[in-house]
Amino acid sequence: MSSAFDQPRVGTFVLIGCGAAKRDPEDPADLEDAVLLPETDDVDEPHWLAKDLYTSSYFSLKRTYAEHMTRWAENRDDYVWGILSAKHGIVTPDTPLPVYDTNAKDLPNQPPSDDSPPKRPDGKPVETRADEWAHEVAQNLEVWTQLFGQGELDTSSCKRLLILAGETNYTGPLRERGTFDGLEHSSLNVAASPEFPFRKIDAGGVGDQMGW
């Protein structure tokens, strides 16, 4: 592992990509881990904590990395690592979610919803679901990085933001639409621009990323 990205330090936030492999609502073993069930809770389908919903080895490794790098905040109630979801934007690890089937690679070919914002983060018009998603993630980023505000509401303790997600369908399209520019140029007092370890270490494939 590159020494530039393996040392936890105060103020490190980590955002990791979600995964296609998820819990099986028909599997009794998976249902034992569900936190909300139709029989007992006001939901139509089972829900799992976001950190437990995705089942691939790839996601498990990213989760372990995120937990390692954010150990400095282990006694805090809020979360300094989150999950980048193609359907839900950014969610914290203990957010209950049902199984869903949304892939980021499909979003550029889908129309936006009826209540989509007029502009994406870079100011261009929203024309696809990917544009709408970029706006949603940008808003989520601003809220999420303020969870550890100290003192004034507009002060964040986010000093370093590491983002581990696929370049082709996740971080690339979001960067192209200006999703991360708001953190770098706003008055949110986020003291560091987002960093993308997979780009720095030239790990373009999933196998390379898992090995790292």
Side-chain angles (χ1 to χ4, degrees):
M1 182 180 291
S2 171
S3 60
F5 299 112
D6 68 354
Q7 295 300 317
R9 65 174 188 248
V10 173
T12 298
F13 279 46
V14 181
L15 181 63
I16 64 175
C18 62
K22 301 178 182 70
R23 297 284 189 158
D24 182 356
E26 304 298 325
D27 188 333
D30 278 342
L31 289 175
E32 290 182 0
D33 296 327
V35 294
L36 295 175
L37 293 170
E39 299 83 20
T40 57
D41 302 289
D42 188 21
V43 294
D44 295 328
E45 52 192 324
H47 286 54
W48 288 264
L49 299 182
K51 63 185 178 184
D52 299 325
L53 176 65
Y54 310 97
T55 58
S56 70
S57 298
Y58 181 38
F59 178 84
S60 178
L61 284 171
K62 289 186 292 186
R63 171 183 170 175
T64 298
Y65 175 82
E67 292 174 337
H68 168 73
M69 294 297 289
T70 58
R71 288 184 301 169
W72 64 274
E74 62 185 357
N75 294 323
R76 299 290 294 267
D77 293 332
D78 297 318
Y79 285 100
V80 290
W81 72 273
I83 300 165
L84 177 61
S85 163
K87 181 177 179 63
H88 300 287
I90 294 175
V91 294
T92 52
D94 280 357
T95 301
L97 295 177
V99 172
Y100 63 90
D101 185 19
T102 302
N103 195 313
K105 71 179 181 180
D106 299 325
L107 300 184
N109 300 316
Q110 297 175 352
S113 63
D114 294 337
D115 57 351
S116 66
K119 295 182 179 180
R120 59 193 212 181
D122 61 5
K124 295 182 180 180
V126 168
E127 298 177 340
T128 69
R129 175 63 185 126
D131 298 335
E132 184 179 7
W133 179 57
H135 180 275
E136 179 181 5
V137 173
Q139 288 193 320
N140 292 164
L141 274 171
E142 292 195 4
V143 173
W144 176 51
T145 54
Q146 300 312 298
L147 288 178
F148 273 56
Q150 299 176 344
E152 300 298 327
L153 291 177
D154 62 349
T155 301
S156 170
S157 61
C158 179
K159 307 304 179 187
R160 187 186 199 196
L161 176 56
L162 304 179
I163 301 177
L164 274 68
E167 169 72 16
T168 302
N169 299 315
Y170 283 84
T171 59
L174 291 174
R175 276 200 313 274
E176 291 170 5
R177 291 166 171 81
T179 295
F180 306 109
D181 294 346
L183 290 180
E184 299 179 34
H185 305 299
S186 73
S187 60
L188 295 174
N189 293 326
V190 178
S193 299
E195 299 179 58
F196 303 89
F198 289 159
R199 298 186 76 200
K200 295 287 184 66
I201 63 174
D202 194 26
V206 171
D208 293 336
Q209 294 166 12
M210 291 180 69
W212 175 76

